[in-house]
Amino acid sequence: MKAKTVKANWSLRTKKFSLPSVFLLCIFFFLAGFFGFSFFHHSQEDEYGVRVRLLEKSVKDETEHRLLHAGKSGDNFITSIPFQVLSWNPRALYFPNFASAEQCDRIIEMAKAELSPSRLMLREGETEEGTKGIRTSSGMFISASEDKTGLLEVIDEKIARAAKIPKTHGGAYNILRYKVGQKYNSHYDAFNPAEYGPQESQRVASFLLYLTDVPEGGETMFPFENGSNMDSSYNFEDCIGLKIKPLKGDGLLFYSLFPNGTIDPTSLHGSCPVIKGEKWVATKWIREQLHYDV
């Protein structure tokens, strides 16, 4: 009698799960698994992707600004200059489309007739003959005050805002041309007083404005980026480490000094040999003292 009862109950239960019911249950579990996986996948998304989305959101959503009352030397407008942090060691920032193609062409035309072989600042005991081959470009110097067109004054103003250092700390532009095979071995823009003697005004930062595309070679390189290659095996000629490809109109800002005024050892940099094309670049050194021209 009990067996019949059990059999009857089991038969009753199986009747409740008809084919449509089983089909719906399958769909339910499939959807639950799918959404569960999606949730888990997004929750595991790396921090870099999340940060990029947040930054993009802040740029798109920030359409209005509340202006404060500026001081006598301040601005009554918001300045937006896009940039990318390439490295914190050294502190290197990349500015895409910093200048227009027309502006770059005009700067090259200013410099063409005045080029001469680039020179080096010599350490005690060094000679020009003994340092040949370290820097093989040609160049010239021109300040914004010498440019009657006003173009360099405009670039000066933009560099000051990018670097957050007044333009009165910037020197003249060193306009440089690198032909195929020409390069500049790794060096520091700041001068170590122990090697070069006391400095009246130290170079705090450098801004490079690339005036041409370079099809191959000519990268600006930082071989000690993030502490790499900082041993006696590096010979100052190898083109290794962080490398920035020159693109016409783009800018590169890097700092040679720490905030405490000491030289950042990872700011060692050079210009890789040009393999194809020709490299033109306008370099501005930003110094710690006011109104220092070169």
Side-chain angles (χ1 to χ4, degrees):
M1 191 69 183
K2 288 184 180 178
K4 290 182 180 179
T5 304
V6 172
K7 186 177 181 180
N9 289 341
W10 175 250
S11 176
L12 182 63
R13 289 174 185 170
T14 55
K15 287 180 181 177
K16 290 182 179 178
F17 293 97
S18 59
L19 185 60
S21 301
V22 173
F23 181 70
L24 289 174
L25 280 171
C26 290
I27 292 177
F28 170 77
F29 285 115
F30 171 78
L31 292 176
F34 175 79
F35 286 113
F37 173 79
S38 298
F39 175 77
F40 176 79
H41 175 72
H42 287 298
S43 67
Q44 296 295 311
E45 189 170 33
D46 60 88
E47 180 186 357
Y48 176 76
V50 173
R51 287 172 58 199
V52 169
R53 288 206 313 278
L54 289 174
L55 288 172
E56 289 176 348
K57 182 177 184 295
S58 65
V59 171
K60 293 175 182 176
D61 294 349
E62 195 70 24
T63 55
E64 295 183 1
H65 303 277
R66 290 182 300 174
L67 291 175
L68 300 179
H69 293 292
K72 291 182 179 179
S73 61
D75 299 326
N76 60 353
F77 57 87
I78 295 290
T79 300
S80 177
I81 304 177
F83 69 91
Q84 176 189 359
V85 177
L86 295 181
S87 170
W88 286 112
N89 299 293
R91 289 171 292 160
L93 309 176
Y94 176 69
F95 295 85
N97 302 312
F98 192 84
S100 68
E102 180 186 1
Q103 289 172 326
C104 293
D105 292 340
R106 286 168 58 189
I107 294 173
I108 291 174
E109 287 302 317
M110 289 181 200
K112 271 185 177 178
E114 305 294 332
L115 295 177
S116 61
S118 300
R119 302 180 63 182
L120 287 173
M121 288 287 290
L122 300 177
R123 300 180 179 90
E124 292 184 13
E126 286 184 331
T127 64
E128 290 191 12
E129 185 66 27
T131 56
K132 276 186 177 179
I134 293 177
R135 189 184 193 191
T136 57
S137 61
S138 298
M140 56 86 71
F141 285 92
I142 182 171
S143 65
S145 60
E146 296 173 302
D147 171 28
K148 304 308 178 185
T149 69
L151 170 58
L152 295 183
E153 179 69 23
V154 172
I155 303 297
D156 261 4
E157 191 71 35
K158 194 168 184 180
I159 291 175
R161 281 167 165 73
K164 308 298 186 293
I165 300 176
K167 63 181 180 180
T168 49
H169 287 256
Y173 290 88
N174 188 195
I175 315 299
L176 299 167
R177 181 189 66 188
Y178 294 83
K179 292 184 176 182
V180 171
Q182 294 186 328
K183 43 91 176 182
Y184 193 176
N185 290 353
S186 293
H187 61 283
Y188 290 102
D189 278 357
F191 298 113
N192 187 345
E195 298 177 325
Y196 294 92
Q199 297 298 301
E200 182 180 347
S201 182
Q202 188 63 278
R203 293 173 179 175
V204 175
S206 303
F207 193 95
L208 279 59
L209 176 61
Y210 298 114
L211 303 176
T212 56
D213 293 332
V214 182
E216 189 175 352
E219 300 94 342
T220 302
M221 55 140 173
F222 295 88
F224 290 172
E225 195 263 336
N226 212 35
S228 299
N229 308 307
M230 296 182 72
D231 54 44
S232 57
S233 64
Y234 182 66
N235 64 9
F236 297 88
E237 292 186 18
D238 294 339
C239 185
I240 57 177
L242 174 65
K243 293 191 282 189
I244 296 92
K245 181 178 177 63
L247 294 173
K248 188 172 185 175
D250 291 358
L252 173 67
L253 170 69
F254 64 92
Y255 293 84
S256 297
L257 301 185
F258 289 125
N260 64 4
T262 60
I263 296 175
D264 179 359
T266 64
S267 68
L268 186 81
H269 64 285
S271 182
C272 299
V274 173
I275 299 174
K276 289 183 181 179
E278 196 170 78
K279 174 183 177 180
W280 283 81
V281 59
T283 299
K284 175 176 280 289
W285 295 297
I286 303 169
R287 297 182 179 264
E288 58 187 352
Q289 299 293 333
L290 297 174
H291 303 294
Y292 200 94
D293 288 333
V294 178

